[in-house]
Amino acid sequence: MLNLRSNREIKLMRQAGLLVWQAHQAVSQRIRPGVTTRELDQAAEEVFARAEAIPLFKGVPGPVPFPTVTCTSVNDEVVHGIPTDRQLQEGDIVSVDTGCQIAGWCGDAAKTYPVGRVSEKTQQLLNVTAASLDLAIERLNKDATWSQVAKQLQEFVESSGFSVVTNFVGHGIGREMHEPPQVPNFYSPSSEREDFPLKTGLVLAIEPMVNAGSPEVKCQADHWTQVTADGAWSAHFEHTVALTSDGPTRLTGPPTEEESLPA
C-alpha cells in the first residue's frame, strides 16, 4: 500500500527535511583531515537536540542497538558505519547518513564528502553517484513506474564504469523512517514484480549506493558496518523527495528564500 501525502503533510515533512539539511551543513563545516567520525556525529546530534527532534538512527534495533545519530562510512565502507575516534585522512571520503523526526514527521538524507583533495577516480565516483540521484529525481514525473526510473539509474552508473549496490534499497518515508514501498536503485525481474506507480503525494527516500568495483558487500564484526567485498571504495547519496503536482521536491534540500529554518 502506498501512503500518498497531502500538501499539508508534505509541508510538515519539509520541516524535518530542513533540519536534516541543517545537520548536514554542520557536518560539512567540520570535515577536514584529523577530524574524527565521532566529532561529525556530535555535530549532527547538537542540531537535532537544539530543535528537540528525535534522531531516527539512534537505538535502531539489531544484534546491537545502533549507538549514534549518524552512520559514518569511510572509503570502502558502504553504509551503516558507526562513528568512532577514527581520524579522517587527506584523500578519504566519508558518507554521512542521518535522519530525524519532528512534530511526528521524518526526514532522511545522506551525502558522501571528500576529505581534502581526493583522486580523480574518487571524484568521479562521487560525481556519478550524485548524478544518479539527480537523474532518478528528475525522472519521477516523467516515468510511469519506479522500475523505469531504477533501470535508467542503473544503466547510467554502469555505463560510467561503476556498479550499483543491490543489497540495500531506498524506502517510503512519512510518519516512520521506513514505510512502503521499497525503492531499489536497480532493475531486476523480482523488483518489477514489486513495482509501484509514481503518483502525486508519494514521498520516497531515494538513496543510490555506488561501488568503484563489484556490487558485493559484507558485514563487519560490529554487526552494522557494511564494506565492499573487494575493498573498492563506495559512495552514497540520498534525499527525501516528494512527488507534488508541481513536480519532484527535495524535502531535505536547502531552504528557499521564502522558508525559515526550524528553531
Side-chain angles (χ1 to χ4, degrees):
M1 180 180 294
L2 298 181
N3 294 315
L4 300 180
R5 304 300 181 184
S6 67
N7 288 338
R8 182 189 68 84
E9 291 172 324
I10 288 172
K11 287 181 179 179
L12 292 171
M13 289 192 70
R14 174 60 168 154
Q15 294 304 298
L18 282 170
L19 199 58
V20 171
W21 177 84
Q22 283 183 278
H24 271 281
Q25 291 300 107
V27 166
S28 67
Q29 292 167 8
R30 287 164 174 79
I31 291 180
R32 63 187 184 279
V35 76
T36 68
T37 53
R38 194 185 308 278
E39 289 175 284
L40 300 183
D41 181 73
Q42 289 169 346
E45 186 166 29
E46 288 168 4
V47 171
F48 295 152
R50 284 196 300 269
E52 298 183 345
I54 300 171
L56 292 177
F57 294 7
K58 196 169 189 176
V60 169
V64 176
F66 198 78
T68 55
V69 305
T70 65
C71 299
T72 56
S73 307
V74 181
N75 298 342
D76 66 330
E77 296 172 352
V78 179
V79 70
H80 301 162
I82 298 174
T84 65
D85 291 326
R86 175 180 183 170
Q87 291 185 334
L88 298 176
Q89 305 297 317
E90 179 86 16
D92 284 347
I93 56 175
V94 56
S95 300
V96 180
D97 189 3
T98 195
C100 74
Q101 183 187 77
I102 189 168
W105 295 95
C106 298
D108 183 9
K111 183 175 180 178
T112 303
Y113 298 91
V115 182
R117 294 174 63 99
V118 298
S119 71
E120 183 177 344
K121 180 71 172 181
T122 298
Q123 188 61 57
Q124 185 185 11
L125 172 66
L126 300 184
N127 293 346
V128 167
T129 311
S132 72
L133 176 57
D134 291 341
L135 172 65
I137 295 171
E138 177 188 341
R139 299 302 309 179
L140 284 179
N141 65 339
K142 297 178 180 179
D143 293 325
T145 65
W146 175 257
S147 67
Q148 294 172 309
V149 176
K151 187 174 185 180
Q152 293 174 83
L153 187 162
Q154 182 176 17
E155 288 174 349
F156 169 73
V157 168
E158 292 178 348
S159 69
S160 301
F162 300 105
S163 64
V164 177
V165 174
T166 57
N167 291 66
F168 303 100
V169 299
H171 49 92
I173 184 171
R175 290 286 190 180
E176 303 292 335
M177 176 167 59
H178 293 118
E179 296 184 353
Q182 291 195 344
V183 185
N185 306 300
F186 54 90
Y187 174 84
S188 70
S190 61
S191 63
E192 187 168 288
R193 288 195 297 270
E194 299 172 358
D195 202 6
F196 56 92
L198 299 173
K199 297 182 176 182
T200 298
L202 198 60
V203 184
L204 305 174
I206 304 170
E207 50 178 325
M209 302 171 198
V210 174
N211 291 350
S214 77
E216 284 76 28
V217 303
K218 58 184 180 181
C219 189
Q220 298 293 76
D222 63 13
H223 304 292
W224 283 104
T225 307
Q226 303 286 333
V227 301
T228 59
D230 59 6
W233 286 14
S234 183
H236 177 201
F237 285 77
E238 175 186 21
H239 271 301
T240 297
V241 183
L243 186 50
T244 74
S245 56
D246 295 324
T249 299
R250 302 176 191 225
L251 299 183
T252 45
T256 65
E257 291 182 359
E258 295 78 24
E259 289 179 316
S260 59
L261 294 171

